[in-house]
Amino acid sequence: MSMRELVVLGTASQAPTRQRNHNGYVLRWDDEVILFDPGEGSQRQLLHTTVTASDLTRICVTHFHGDHCLGLPGTIQRLSLDRVPHPVAVHFPAGGAEYFARLRHATSFYETAELRVEPIEADGQRIALSCGTLEARRLRHPIETYGYRLVEPDGHRMLPDKLAAYGIAGPAVGELIRVGHLDLDGRRVTRDEVSEPRHGQRFAFVMDTGLCDGVYALAEHADLLVIESTFLESEAALAAEVGHLTAAQAARVATESGVRRLVLTHFSQRYADPRRFHDEAREHFDGDLIIAEDLTTVQLPPRRVASAG
Ligand SMILES: [Zn+2]
């Protein structure tokens, strides 16, 4: 199966710490390598991973607060320096187009990379990719902010022993998948007889926001949810006031949305001990729980087994 994983570049909100770089995440998903919210230092953090700037196919920015986008100038210039041969799509809230233009041309450089600038104009905007659909949902934050999710369509997994039992091979398999059935010597074989349903995988990226419908829309049945938990419940009032989540809120969203693997990140520098985020979230979520650390990799969990039928 092709590689699907999250590479964490940085995990700090607002201000970096000695242990945590500003935000930054890369999602490898088949032929897409998507950079989310490159904060300051993202270009250098990449050097500590197996991802290179020229691997990037797409950049998604949730909003134009500095910790989510001040890595854009360096990263964009690096694409040209490395003469990236393929186009790189860039998505960001349309209302922040002026910020993007400034960051893109922050200093003089010789631009050779082809950027395909595709701003997010509306809640629910969808972008068709070869590996699924990228969808943006409006979040609740003091400035225009969109979270993203990548949804692979449900499909079928062909069962080799059943295909063999009917003597179906080669181009006939493709026809069976396409048409849904195959007529063999007067007997019709349907796709369902020789395959099992296969759930599409889902990745969601939720950053920065207070609780709102968009959070739940993005998190719904995510196999891997990356979500901000800037604060702990002791600062719940402050979190609500400034449009952020607590670890407990993020964990409850994950439970209510059927999330399988939960990655908490974007931590305020006021908390020295990351165990506190784990302990608070654990009270509300009993699935896979990861408190993100810089320069770690998180795999998509194996596909959910689809119910028979
Ligand atoms: Zn923000």
Side-chain angles (χ1 to χ4, degrees):
M1 180 179 153
S2 32
M3 187 188 286
R4 293 183 180 180
E5 64 181 18
L6 176 81
V7 179
V8 179
L9 302 179
T11 54
S13 73
Q14 203 170 49
T17 69
R18 289 196 175 92
Q19 290 78 33
R20 296 185 186 277
N21 198 80
H22 261 163
N23 264 299
Y25 313 84
V26 173
L27 178 70
R28 284 193 214 256
W29 185 290
D30 303 354
D31 55 351
E32 288 278 350
V33 181
I34 307 176
L35 173 65
F36 288 91
D37 278 3
E40 278 177 71
S42 288
Q43 182 186 178
R44 187 155 192 275
Q45 291 295 90
L46 276 177
L47 294 180
H48 293 296
T49 74
T50 56
V51 183
T52 66
S54 34
D55 292 334
L56 300 176
T57 58
R58 196 171 296 276
I59 300 173
C60 294
V61 173
T62 59
H63 68 299
F64 287 98
H65 278 154
D67 50 334
H68 297 260
C69 63
L70 282 174
L72 279 174
T75 306
I76 288 173
Q77 293 188 23
R78 184 62 185 267
L79 296 174
S80 280
L81 187 69
D82 291 354
R83 297 192 177 268
V84 173
H86 52 262
V88 176
V90 189
H91 310 291
F92 52 81
E98 192 184 332
Y99 294 119
F100 178 74
R102 280 190 220 143
L103 291 163
R104 179 179 183 179
H105 297 294
T107 70
S108 170
F109 71 108
Y110 185 57
E111 189 169 33
T112 61
E114 183 191 342
L115 289 192
R116 291 201 180 147
V117 179
E118 300 171 14
I120 304 299
E121 310 273 355
D123 185 30
Q125 186 168 325
R126 292 177 181 190
I127 297 139
L129 311 183
S130 62
C131 55
T133 302
L134 183 67
E135 183 180 356
R137 295 305 297 252
R138 186 76 191 249
L139 296 174
R140 188 169 71 76
H141 201 51
I143 61 171
E144 187 183 1
T145 301
Y146 291 97
Y148 297 90
R149 70 172 181 164
L150 183 53
V151 177
E152 176 188 41
D154 292 337
H156 296 269
R157 195 174 77 82
M158 304 309 280
L159 300 168
D161 52 336
K162 297 221 168 142
L163 288 172
Y166 286 107
I168 301 171
V173 178
E175 189 188 334
L176 178 57
I177 293 172
R178 216 170 35 251
V179 181
H181 59 81
L182 202 62
D183 291 320
L184 294 173
D185 303 327
R187 158 96 166 87
R188 174 162 285 192
V189 180
T190 67
R191 185 175 53 198
D192 291 348
E193 288 177 73
V194 291
S195 71
E196 60 184 14
R198 189 203 68 174
H199 279 302
Q201 286 191 311
R202 295 183 178 196
F203 167 82
F205 187 79
V206 176
M207 197 119 358
D208 292 3
T209 186
L211 266 190
C212 63
D213 291 347
V215 173
Y216 290 97
L218 292 165
E220 186 190 17
H221 296 307
D223 294 282
L224 182 63
L225 168 64
V226 180
I227 186 167
E228 70 123 312
S229 74
T230 311
F231 294 109
L232 294 171
E233 273 297 277
S234 45
E235 280 69 47
L238 173 63
E241 189 186 320
V242 294
H244 282 295
L245 295 172
T246 68
Q249 286 176 317
R252 284 196 294 265
V253 166
T255 295
E256 289 162 21
S257 305
V259 167
R260 300 176 63 211
R261 187 164 288 169
L262 171 63
V263 177
L264 298 185
T265 185
H266 193 270
F267 306 116
S268 164
Q269 75 266 26
R270 75 179 60 212
Y271 309 108
D273 181 6
R275 288 290 310 179
R276 296 177 67 191
F277 289 94
H278 180 278
D279 294 347
E280 183 171 299
R282 187 42 95 205
E283 288 181 31
H284 304 277
F285 177 73
D286 61 10
D288 288 351
L289 173 61
I290 293 161
I291 307 303
E293 296 290 339
D294 290 19
L295 305 176
T296 55
T297 299
V298 179
Q299 304 296 322
L300 260 283
R303 286 179 186 284
R304 273 184 300 144
V305 178
S307 50

